[in-house]
Amino acid sequence: MGTKAKAGRKQLLLFTSAILCPLVLGKGTVHIPEPEVRVPENNSVKLPCSYSGFSSPRVEWKFVQGDTTSLVCYNSKITVPPSKPTVNIPSSATIGNRAVLTCSEQDGSPPSEYTWFKDGVQMPTDPKNNRAFINSSYTLNQKSGELVFDPVSGSDTGEYTCQARNGYGTSMKSKTVRMEAVELNVGGIVAAVLVTLILLGVLIFGIWFAYTRGYFDRTKKGTSSKKVIYSQPAARSEGEFKQTSSFLV
């Protein structure tokens, strides 16, 4: 087998968990054709490796830099340590309601698992197993990083932090965010309803007052059409002239 990597001014060594012990027992061999490979920086390089005499070996490529050794390739996949996770935590949550806190990061390979901390104390997956969290009702999914309070209780107020780890490299913690568990503002709701009823009452009273004062009748009269009244002239003798008819507009 072999692996590809970008060469730098570093040293790459091969280790397998199955090699160290079986080599001592003489049950397997590992062959590296070139123990030392020199490649210009920023170029690609292929590192070959062959082995025999092992039953279902687990092959790992590790990177050595000084006294630090980190895993590069496991199960034919390149490993990357987790990056700093991103969290979505509400600043306040109403007691009795449902609240969802999320945590995620995209760089870890294999995918990271997540742990939550409240006020610096690690939260157990089951709150009933820990006295410090026995009054909380939540579910914690370490795979998805989701922390759900259902329902929120007064004891859930605190500062929350999430940690991502995948077994390779250093575990990473998110920023710390405070969440306040608050009571439902019943007084505010009642006040809003009362104000609405008062405004509705004032509107109804205004309509009634205008009606009793005849405002609507005057408006109706002012918009009615004018009528023309014609009176017939009275009979008169011949040769006599006198205005006997009129128009009233």
Side-chain angles (χ1 to χ4, degrees), residues 54-149:
F54 299 101
S55 175
S56 302
R58 189 181 83 176
V59 180
E60 299 177 355
W61 286 86
K62 293 187 177 181
F63 175 76
V64 178
Q65 183 180 13
D67 297 330
T68 303
T69 301
S70 56
L71 191 64
V72 174
C73 181
Y74 165 63
N75 198 23
S76 300
K77 295 181 180 179
I78 300 297
T79 57
V80 179
S83 56
K84 183 176 181 178
T86 301
V87 293
N88 185 9
I89 302 172
S91 58
S92 64
T94 303
I95 294 175
N97 286 1
R98 186 173 184 264
V100 180
L101 286 64
T102 61
C103 176
S104 63
E105 65 85 26
Q106 304 300 323
D107 296 328
S109 177
S112 295
E113 291 192 354
Y114 302 93
T115 305
W116 282 91
F117 296 82
K118 178 192 173 189
D119 297 328
V121 179
Q122 182 175 337
M123 301 177 68
T125 54
D126 185 357
K128 304 309 177 186
N129 293 335
N130 189 306
R131 281 190 173 184
F133 300 94
I134 198 168
N135 292 324
S136 293
S137 296
Y138 66 79
T139 56
L140 195 163
N141 189 323
Q142 292 183 311
K143 298 291 185 182
S144 67
E146 193 173 71
L147 175 62
V148 180
F149 292 93

Side-chain angles (χ1 to χ4, degrees), residues 40-58:
E41 190 171 7
N42 296 322
N43 284 12
S44 296
V45 60
K46 184 176 182 179
L47 304 176
C49 168
S50 60
Y51 52 87
S52 62
F54 299 101
S55 175
S56 302
R58 189 181 83 176

Side-chain angles (χ1 to χ4, degrees), residues 45 63 69 72 107 111 113 120 137 142 155 163 176 196-197 204 216 230-231 244:
V45 60
F63 175 76
T69 301
V72 174
D107 296 328
E113 291 192 354
S137 296
Q142 292 183 311
S155 62
Q163 177 179 275
T176 300
T196 302
L197 291 176
I204 294 173
F216 294 112
Y230 171 75
S231 59
T244 58

Side-chain angles (χ1 to χ4, degrees), residues 135-178:
N135 292 324
S136 293
S137 296
Y138 66 79
T139 56
L140 195 163
N141 189 323
Q142 292 183 311
K143 298 291 185 182
S144 67
E146 193 173 71
L147 175 62
V148 180
F149 292 93
D150 194 10
V152 175
S153 65
S155 62
D156 294 327
T157 292
E159 296 185 341
Y160 290 86
T161 309
C162 171
Q163 177 179 275
R165 65 165 183 259
N166 67 353
Y168 307 109
T170 306
S171 300
M172 298 295 290
K173 281 190 175 183
S174 70
K175 65 179 181 180
T176 300
V177 180
R178 183 173 182 81

Side-chain angles (χ1 to χ4, degrees), residues 176-190:
T176 300
V177 180
R178 183 173 182 81
M179 184 182 78
E180 293 282 349
V182 297
E183 293 281 358
L184 182 65
N185 190 2
V186 179
I189 295 175
V190 172

